[in-house]
Amino acid sequence: MFATLLAGCAHASRHPDRAPASESNQCGVFCDRLDRCLGTEFSDEAKNQLCEIARCESGCRARVTSAAGYQGAFQFDRVTWRGECGPIFERRGLAHCLKLDSRNNACCAAICTAEIIADGGIRRWPTCGK
C-alpha cells in the first residue's frame, strides 16, 4: 500500500545520537546515497545539512507521502517541484527528474534541495532547516 508520514520534525530525531536505531541506519544509508548523487559539486557541510533536513522531514525515507500531499525525503509539494525544481532539472539535463513521482527519487530531490539552499532558499524548510 502507501506510506504515510506526517511531515515535520516531531516525527524524526534531529540528532543521530538520539535517533532510534532503525532511523539512524536508514539515515546512514540515505546519506551515503546523497553523497554519491551529489558528488564533489557540493561541500560536505551542504551534504550534512541535507541529511539533517531529510532526517527531520521524513526520517530519511525517500518514498513517503504526508497527509497534506508532500512527498519524498525533503517533503516537496507539487508547486515547488514543478516551479523551482523543474528549471533546475531542465538546466542540468535531468529530464527523468521532471516527473512528479521523482519527488520520491533521493538523487533528484537532493539535487533540487541542494540548489534551492545554495540559492538562499533554506526558508523552504522553516522548521527542519534551522
Side-chain angles (χ1 to χ4, degrees), residues 61-78:
R61 292 174 185 89
R63 296 189 176 278
V64 65
T65 302
S66 75
Y70 295 95
Q71 284 191 316
F74 301 100
Q75 294 290 281
F76 279 103
D77 65 12
R78 291 173 178 257

Side-chain angles (χ1 to χ4, degrees), residues 2-84:
F2 65 94
T4 301
L5 178 76
L6 297 175
C9 294
H11 300 282
S13 172
R14 293 194 63 179
H15 304 285
D17 55 327
R18 289 185 244 157
S22 61
E23 180 183 308
S24 183
N25 185 47
Q26 172 79 24
C27 285
V29 170
F30 179 84
C31 292
D32 286 346
R33 182 157 188 215
L34 288 189
D35 188 49
R36 289 189 305 275
C37 293
L38 298 173
T40 59
E41 183 177 352
F42 295 94
S43 70
D44 287 342
E45 182 180 338
K47 292 174 190 177
N48 288 337
Q49 184 178 33
L50 292 177
C51 287
E52 282 301 313
I53 292 170
R55 180 185 314 283
C56 177
E57 290 287 342
S58 66
C60 299
R61 292 174 185 89
R63 296 189 176 278
V64 65
T65 302
S66 75
Y70 295 95
Q71 284 191 316
F74 301 100
Q75 294 290 281
F76 279 103
D77 65 12
R78 291 173 178 257
V79 172
T80 302
W81 193 257
R82 291 195 191 277
E84 291 193 43

